[in-house]
Amino acid sequence: MQDYEASVSFLGTWGPFQRRVFFLLCVTCIPCGYNILSVIFLLASPPHHCHIPTHSNLSQQWIQASIPVQVVSGQPDRSSCSRYDLDLLQNLSALGLRPSLGLIQNQSALGSGPEVNLSSLKQEGCKDGWTYSTEYYQHTVVTEFNLVCSDQWKQPLTSLAYFLGGLCGCFFSGLISDRFGRKPVLFGTIALLSIFSSAVAFAPSWPVFILLFFMLGLGQIACYIVMFVLGSEILIGSSRVLFSSLGLPIAYVFGMLLLPCTAYLVSSWRQLALIMAVPGLACFPLWRLIPESPRWLVSRGRMQEADHLLRSAALENRVDAPPVIFPSATVEKSESHEVESFGFLDLLRTTNIRRITLILWLIWFSMSISYFGVSFNLSSVSGSPFLNYFLLAAVELPASVASWLVACSLPRYLSFIAFSLLGTVALLLIQVTLHNHPAITLFLVLLGKFGVMAGNGVLYIYTGELSPTVIRTTAMSSCTMFSRVGSSLSPYLLQLAVFYPFLPWTIVSCLSLLSVLFCIFLPETFRQPLLDTIHQMPPTRQFRWPWASVPPPKDDGKSVKDQTTVPEIICTSNL
């Protein structure tokens, strides 16, 4: 199908049919956004220290002194994973001795006996469990299954399982969607969200939880990708740009904003997991109202179904459909009844598509680490985690508006570069203010998230326009797979702060800068129709240093009046 958009132009761009699809898909997007930050609240790790049993027969001053004091980020703090030997403290207390004055704040409660230098006493692990702070969280997965101290490695592993589930979901949903349709996969992934979110709430142990959490991750980002492709293929022109750069992201952010509010009101992580299943269940009645992609139907040779769907849309829009909507496709169908199927390997088959695919994979990987790295590292910023994460989600609203505005009037790769550089600079400046200016640090975090998110908004549009219809969902899903690889690594960024406190922020900002460098090689798609076949894909750009010599054009007798030479970037065809 060489000119699909011209064939369906009789529908217009913003009739009742387009408005219905636009708003229903936006409503269906809310469960996807509602689940994305669940890993942060379900796996929240409150401050904790070793539990001292009430039957330990220790005086109040010895109970206060039983936890060693450590220096963390230049500040003294109670140890989270050790205490002084409890039997030894009981003997010292029975002898009438008292702990050293320098380590106890309430000196009036001290006895009159000799002091004991606590630094010389033997320490032991938390044999009686832990006492967790309830300032912000009452019950989380970490506090219920004690995923701290020697079991702290289970925290990032649990997050890894969630994102690996997203990786697998993107891989299989893309292949299934390109083969069997967008609509079944969309509602299938929403069903995964609802079913396994409910199942997670009843997990009896950590191994069962991590398995169910992996299954929950299967549907989270896959439903958004399929939804993005479905809307992009049904809508054309300005309505498609409005949907992909503003409508869908805003609905996604609205779902994200609901989760911190819910987590603040709900005290138990099990209740939160159950509530997370509700938005997905509410979307199932929309099955009859959301159509399949007619563009995908045409690409699969199902012309009769596409024709019926478009004629129904014409009736809804009160316009007249032509007698034959796809004349060229009718001829093509009569010549060949076999429809070629495309798979994951077709993204690497030709030189040109291989270059574009590899560049997109690297960009999505880098941007995903930046996006989730900012979210996970926000725990190092002071203040209420619910308010911080609400602001972190809310800043995506102006980012979506900004990406929509530039998508309407500016080239794709220049817009992406500008937003990514803004995020890079803001995240680099955090190293100056992290421990001294908390308000400025929070502002820089939000500014960095704004740049990264606005760049992501442009990247979604850019990737969809670079991918042809016959393999669009597979291409988008493969990119999201690599983004899930990046998000899988992001929970481990916090662990790097042990070596250098600013290392997580440095890595996030450098990866954002790396995505800018990769974007230079992508071709421009601004104001170009969507591609339908692989051979319609534009060539990649080839970088040349400004001082590199460019061979003069060959004199083939043709007019060269309109030829221009750009020494830094030149386009070469590899098909």
Side-chain angles (χ1 to χ4, degrees), residues 166-175 178 221-222 225-226 229 343-348 353-354 356-365 368 463 467 471-486:
L167 186 153
C168 296
C170 291
F171 178 77
F172 291 109
S173 67
L175 297 177
D178 280 334
I221 194 63
I225 294 299
V226 177
V229 172
F344 183 83
L345 294 179
D346 290 289
L347 295 172
L348 306 172
I353 192 174
R354 181 164 57 249
I356 292 177
T357 298
L358 293 177
I359 292 172
L360 287 174
W361 286 350
L362 292 172
I363 292 176
W364 279 73
F365 172 81
S368 179
T463 305
S467 307
I471 202 171
R472 182 169 291 116
T473 310
T474 299
M476 293 287 295
S477 297
S478 70
C479 291
T480 313
M481 280 175 53
F482 278 83
S483 78
R484 294 300 95 175
V485 174

Side-chain angles (χ1 to χ4, degrees), residues 267-531:
S267 60
S268 171
W269 69 270
R270 295 184 183 273
Q271 295 175 0
L272 179 61
L274 278 176
I275 295 174
M276 284 164 48
V278 174
L281 295 175
C283 290
F284 282 103
L286 301 180
W287 168 270
R288 298 176 60 86
L289 301 176
I290 296 178
E292 181 58 90
S293 166
R295 192 164 198 149
W296 174 81
L297 292 172
V298 171
S299 70
R300 299 296 297 175
R302 295 161 63 173
M303 309 305 302
Q304 187 174 359
E305 296 176 58
D307 185 271
H308 175 73
L309 194 156
L310 292 172
R311 293 188 186 278
S312 299
L315 289 175
E316 188 174 348
N317 285 356
R318 297 181 180 178
V319 296
D320 295 327
V324 180
I325 299 179
F326 303 112
S328 60
T330 304
V331 175
E332 292 171 7
K333 184 179 178 182
S334 63
E335 294 176 353
S336 175
H337 296 280
E338 184 178 354
V339 179
E340 185 178 4
S341 297
F342 294 90
F344 183 83
L345 294 179
D346 290 289
L347 295 172
L348 306 172
R349 194 167 299 280
T350 66
T351 303
N352 189 54
I353 192 174
R354 181 164 57 249
R355 288 182 178 178
I356 292 177
T357 298
L358 293 177
I359 292 172
L360 287 174
W361 286 350
L362 292 172
I363 292 176
W364 279 73
F365 172 81
S366 302
M367 293 299 289
S368 179
I369 290 187
S370 300
Y371 179 91
F372 286 98
V374 170
S375 299
F376 283 108
N377 288 329
L378 192 63
S379 59
S380 63
V381 179
S382 61
S384 169
F386 304 106
L387 178 60
N388 288 346
Y389 285 112
F390 183 88
L391 294 175
L392 196 68
V395 78
E396 296 193 18
L397 292 175
S400 299
V401 174
S403 63
W404 169 63
L405 291 175
V406 300
C408 293
S409 56
L410 294 176
R412 303 293 186 242
Y413 84 99
L414 289 180
S415 303
F416 176 80
I417 288 174
F419 284 130
S420 298
L421 285 178
L422 174 64
T424 299
V425 173
L427 294 175
L428 282 173
L429 291 176
I430 290 175
Q431 303 184 49
V432 182
T433 65
L434 183 58
H435 297 303
N436 301 321
H437 306 282
I440 298 177
T441 299
L442 181 59
F443 171 77
L444 290 175
V445 170
L446 296 178
L447 183 61
K449 178 66 177 295
F450 172 86
V452 171
M453 186 57 199
N456 271 331
V458 176
L459 183 60
Y460 267 95
I461 302 173
Y462 204 1
T463 305
E465 292 176 345
L466 283 171
S467 307
T469 301
V470 294
I471 202 171
R472 182 169 291 116
T473 310
T474 299
M476 293 287 295
S477 297
S478 70
C479 291
T480 313
M481 280 175 53
F482 278 83
S483 78
R484 294 300 95 175
V485 174
S487 58
S488 300
L489 299 177
S490 57
Y492 291 94
L493 284 178
L494 285 175
Q495 314 298 323
L496 300 178
V498 176
F499 304 100
Y500 179 60
F502 304 112
L503 188 57
W505 297 106
T506 304
I507 293 177
V508 168
S509 55
C510 289
L511 286 173
S512 181
L513 180 61
L514 185 64
S515 64
V516 170
L517 300 178
F518 288 136
C519 185
I520 295 175
F521 299 96
L522 291 177
E524 185 54 72
T525 60
F526 181 51
R527 290 180 177 171
Q528 300 295 322
L530 283 183
L531 308 174

Side-chain angles (χ1 to χ4, degrees), residues 65-68 83-86 89 118-119 121-124:
S66 60
I67 306 299
R83 67 183 184 187
Y84 293 113
D85 188 291
L86 205 58
L89 294 186
L118 296 178
S119 60
L121 299 182
K122 179 184 176 182
Q123 297 184 14
E124 63 182 4

Side-chain angles (χ1 to χ4, degrees), residues 184-243:
V185 177
L186 170 60
F187 283 91
T189 52
I190 293 177
L192 283 176
L193 286 178
S194 300
I195 294 172
F196 287 101
S197 181
S198 303
V200 158
F202 299 97
S205 61
W206 176 76
V208 176
F209 175 86
I210 196 173
L211 176 61
L212 296 175
F213 212 41
F214 172 86
M215 299 301 296
L216 177 62
L218 282 173
Q220 194 282 316
I221 194 63
C223 69
Y224 183 86
I225 294 299
V226 177
M227 195 179 313
F228 179 89
V229 172
L230 178 59
S232 299
E233 292 181 348
I234 294 177
L235 304 173
I236 62 175
S238 59
S239 61
R240 182 178 68 220
V241 176
L242 180 66
F243 170 81

